[in-house]
Amino acid sequence: MSIEWRISSPDNWQADVLIWFGFEGEEAEASDLCADPPGALPWLRDCPALSDFKGKAKQISVAYGPADAKVARCILAGLGKRDKFDLNALRDAVVSAFRRCRDLKLVRVGLPLALFDSLPELGPEALKEALISGLLGLYSYDRYKTRDRNGADYEPACLLLTEEEPAAGKVPPDLAGEVEAIVEGVKLARDLTSGPGNDITPAQLLARAEELATRFDFKLQSFDLDQAAAMGMGAFVAVAKGSREPARFIVLEYAPEGCADERPIVLVGKGITFDTGGISLKPSAKMEAMKGDMAGAAAVLGTFNILGQLRPPRRVVGILPCTENMPDGKAYKPGDIVKSLAGLNIEVVNTDAEGRMILCDALAYGERYQPAAMIDIATLTGACIIALGDRVAGLLGNHDELRQTIRRIGDAVGERFWPLPLWDFYFDDIKSDCADFKNVGNRQAGTIIGAMFLKQFVAEETPWAHLDIAGPSWLEKDLMTTPKGATGFGVRTLFELVRRWK
Ligand code: BES
Ligand code: ZN
Ligand code: ZN
C-alpha cells in the first residue's frame, strides 16, 4: 500500500483507473456526477457505462476509454441518495470501488481531489476517512491460507490527483503518513485477534509488544506468573495458574520528549488468548470464537503502533494482562476467595467471568501512574451483544465528559459506542457473604455488573471509561470498512482520544 501525490494538469494524469462518484437519481444528466469528470477522461461523457450507472449505494460501473488514453478506465461508485449522504455512505462507496480495483487487479488507483471538494459538507477529514476506509475494506486474514488466496496479496498505490498543491487546512498536513499509520495499527489489531490461540499466546503478545518497543523506543516491562504473584496480583494469578501456556502481564509506555513527567493516559486491554470458561466451562458450540478474547489487548497494541509513528505529544501507558483461561487441576474454582492487588478480596462464583479478574489487577496497577484518565477495553460480556448487537460497544464509566468525548470521537471515526448506566445500587448484586464482593451477580444487567465490579478498583478521582467490545470486535458479516472477522474495533477511537487530549 502506498499513498502518493500527483500534482499536474489533468491531461497529464496517469493511472490504471480513476475513481468517480455519483448520487442516486441524478444519473439522467451525466453532468450530475459529483463535479465534472476531469480533463483526464475526455472520453467519459460519451461512454455508455455512464448511462448504466444509477448511483445507488455500493453500486459500481466500470467505464472503459480508448486503449491509448492516459487513463483508460473509470470506476463509477454510487453514493446513494443525496439527502441520506454522510461519511458512512462515502466509506461504503470507496470500499466498493477499491474492491473492484482488486478484482480487476488495477494497482495505480487515481483519486481526484476535486471529487472530494464537490461532496456536500464533510469537511477536510473526508479524504482521509475515505482512504482509511477503502484500505481497511481490503483487509483479509491470509496468514494461514496456502491456496485460494484470491486477492490477498493486492496492494494498491493510491494516487492523489490534483492540479495544484492543496490549500492549507484543506487536507491534513501529513495525510499519507497518517493514513498509513492508522491503517497499519488497525490491521495489527485485526491480525492479532484473527490469529489462532495456539499462535497468539501471551508470549506472542509480549513478542509483538517488544517489537513495537524496539521500533518506536517505548519503555517495556513484563511480569511472569511468579512475579505477578509476588507483587500481589492474586486475581490475575488465579485465572493464569490453570494454564500451561505461560502468562504475561505487559506494561508499555510511550513518553515523548517533554512529556515524561505528565500524568499519562492509561489504556488497559483484556488479553485472554483463549477463554474456555475454566472450571465453569463454556459449551463447545462457537467456543472457537474465544480466540478473539484478547481483542482489547490487540486494540491497545494497535493504538501504540500508531502512537509510535505519529508521535502526538502525550504520555500513554498500556497495560495488558495476558493469559489463557483453562480448566485444569490447578485452575481456580467457584467458591475460591482471592486477594486482588488492591487488597480487596473477591469471591469467585463463576470462573468464566475471568476478564474482570485480570482487569481489576491491571486497573489497580494503572492507578499507580496517577492517570489523567484510564480507559479499559475488553470483550467482557456476552450480555453486551444481547443489549446492543454486534456493531456497537458498551460505554460505561465514572466521568460524563470522558464518555461524551469517546462517543463523539467514535462517531467521527466510524466506531459506535452507546452509554449504559452505572448507578450505585447495581453493587447490591455482587455483595458477598464471605468476601468483599463476588465476581458475578445474578443474570440481570450483565454488562453493567461487569463494569460495577471494575469500578471498585478505580479511584473516584480518576476519570475512567470501560469499553465493552464483545460485540463489535468480531463480525459474522461483511460491513465494508470492516470485512467479516476481526475488526480492530477501538484502535481508531483510542488513538484519536490521545491525539485530541487537552
Ligand atoms: N469472553 C467472554 C465474553 C464474550 C462472550 C466475548 C461472547 C465475546 C463473545 C467473557 O469472559 C465471559 O465469558 N463472560 C460471561 C460473564 C458471565 C459469567 C457473568 C458471559 O458473558 O457469559
Ligand atoms: Zn469468560
Ligand atoms: Zn473472556
Side-chain angles (χ1 to χ4, degrees):
M1 161 191 57
S2 69
I3 297 164
E4 296 159 38
W5 289 94
R6 290 283 188 277
I7 304 171
S8 72
S9 75
D11 47 359
N12 280 325
W13 292 349
Q14 294 195 6
D16 297 331
V17 60
L18 210 141
I19 291 178
W20 211 263
F21 301 128
F23 285 103
E24 182 176 349
E26 300 180 12
E27 79 279 6
E29 260 192 281
S31 60
D32 274 339
L33 277 178
C34 294
D36 246 347
L41 307 172
W43 47 267
L44 184 62
R45 286 259 167 251
D46 307 319
C47 189
L50 203 53
S51 52
D52 296 345
F53 178 64
K54 304 291 179 224
K56 286 204 163 71
K58 299 181 204 173
Q59 187 202 353
I60 296 289
S61 294
V62 189
Y64 293 95
D68 60 353
K70 280 188 177 149
V71 182
R73 297 179 199 83
C74 182
I75 286 186
L76 300 161
L79 296 173
K81 294 227 163 71
R82 192 182 278 272
D83 57 356
K84 292 247 168 70
F85 179 68
D86 62 7
L87 204 46
N88 288 328
L90 176 63
R91 289 190 168 102
D92 288 353
V94 179
V95 173
S96 304
F98 275 33
R99 288 184 184 173
R100 185 60 65 90
C101 293
R102 175 174 64 190
D103 295 346
L104 298 172
K105 300 190 171 63
L106 304 173
V107 174
R108 296 179 309 148
V109 179
L111 287 153
L113 234 54
L115 183 54
F116 291 85
D117 289 343
S118 65
L119 297 174
E121 290 169 32
L122 290 183
E125 298 284 288
L127 173 60
K128 181 178 114 189
E129 289 300 321
L131 286 166
I132 292 172
S133 291
L135 293 167
L136 287 176
L138 294 173
Y139 177 82
S140 66
Y141 182 69
D142 45 55
R143 192 177 145 85
Y144 290 97
K145 287 240 181 230
T146 62
R147 46 186 187 181
D148 303 333
R149 290 177 58 84
N150 38 27
D153 305 311
Y154 173 71
E155 292 274 351
C158 303
L159 309 177
L160 306 179
L161 307 169
T162 166
E163 274 195 80
E164 43 198 64
E165 199 86 49
K170 221 167 156 195
V171 293
D174 179 21
L175 177 72
E178 230 179 82
V179 169
E180 281 167 6
I182 289 170
V183 169
E184 191 182 302
V186 176
K187 280 187 174 174
L188 171 64
R190 288 182 182 179
D191 282 346
L192 292 172
T193 307
S194 305
N198 60 339
D199 173 10
I200 308 300
T201 57
Q204 187 58 228
L205 290 175
L206 175 59
R208 306 310 283 267
E210 278 166 349
E211 272 168 37
L212 293 177
T214 310
R215 180 170 161 205
F216 298 120
D217 203 20
F218 299 145
K219 217 197 262 172
L220 177 75
Q221 284 174 282
S222 84
F223 308 111
D224 64 17
L225 189 67
D226 292 339
Q227 291 168 313
M231 290 162 74
M233 298 192 191
F236 172 70
V237 167
V239 178
K241 72 196 174 89
S243 168
R244 307 247 172 141
E245 198 61 62
R248 294 286 180 264
F249 189 98
I250 302 167
V251 184
L252 256 183
E253 180 173 348
Y254 163 67
E257 236 179 71
C259 301
D261 297 327
E262 75 182 15
R263 292 175 152 212
I265 297 172
V266 173
L267 307 177
V268 176
K270 172 177 173 181
I272 294 289
T273 58
F274 194 80
D275 183 10
T276 65
I279 297 298
S280 312
L281 191 64
K282 286 181 181 296
S284 49
K286 284 268 152 204
M287 202 204 273
E288 72 278 11
M290 286 299 114
K291 69 176 182 176
D293 208 18
M294 32 55 71
V300 174
L301 287 174
T303 304
F304 270 79
N305 201 340
I306 306 175
L307 290 174
Q309 296 190 67
L310 300 185
R311 307 201 82 80
R314 168 63 50 187
R315 184 173 170 220
V316 186
V317 172
I319 304 181
L320 314 175
C322 301
T323 175
E324 292 180 335
N325 183 27
M326 298 292 278
D328 180 83
K330 285 198 171 164
Y332 78 139
K333 307 173 291 297
D336 286 358
I337 298 177
V338 302
K339 189 181 250 341
S340 68
L341 180 62
L344 294 164
N345 291 321
I346 303 162
E347 181 190 1
V348 178
V349 170
N350 189 321
T351 64
D352 196 12
E354 84 298 339
R356 61 201 72 179
M357 300 293 291
I358 66 168
L359 289 174
C360 76
D361 280 349
L363 289 167
Y365 190 83
E367 279 294 342
R368 297 182 178 181
Y369 288 88
Q370 297 187 297
M374 186 144 65
I375 296 99
D376 74 77
I377 178 161
T379 47
L380 205 73
T381 63
C384 201
I385 314 177
I386 305 293
L388 298 173
D390 63 0
R391 302 183 189 202
V392 183
L395 171 61
L396 302 99
N398 64 1
H399 198 273
D400 281 342
E401 201 186 325
L402 178 60
R403 269 193 309 235
Q404 274 167 21
T405 305
I406 290 173
R407 271 198 64 195
R408 211 171 334 105
I409 290 176
D411 285 346
V413 300
E415 296 181 337
R416 291 187 181 87
F417 295 88
W418 199 256
L420 291 170
L422 209 46
W423 287 298
D424 287 342
F425 70 78
Y426 285 110
F427 182 78
D428 294 349
D429 284 5
I430 53 172
K431 281 186 178 155
S432 164
D433 295 332
C434 50
D436 290 319
F437 42 86
K438 310 185 283 189
N439 77 333
V440 297
N442 46 40
R443 286 168 45 82
Q444 296 178 357
T447 304
I448 294 172
I449 295 299
M452 187 40 100
F453 178 95
L454 296 177
K455 186 171 188 275
Q456 310 309 310
F457 300 87
V458 180
E460 240 165 71
E461 59 277 9
T462 303
W464 160 69
H466 163 61
L467 315 179
D468 192 330
I469 57 165
S473 64
W474 189 275
L475 292 175
E476 290 302 333
K477 50 190 175 292
D478 170 21
L479 291 181
M480 306 305 281
T481 303
T482 47
K484 186 168 181 261
T487 59
F489 189 100
V491 172
R492 296 210 54 198
T493 298
L494 290 178
F495 170 70
E496 285 303 326
L497 184 70
V498 171
R499 170 165 42 197
R500 299 182 194 185
W501 195 263
K502 293 169 291 315

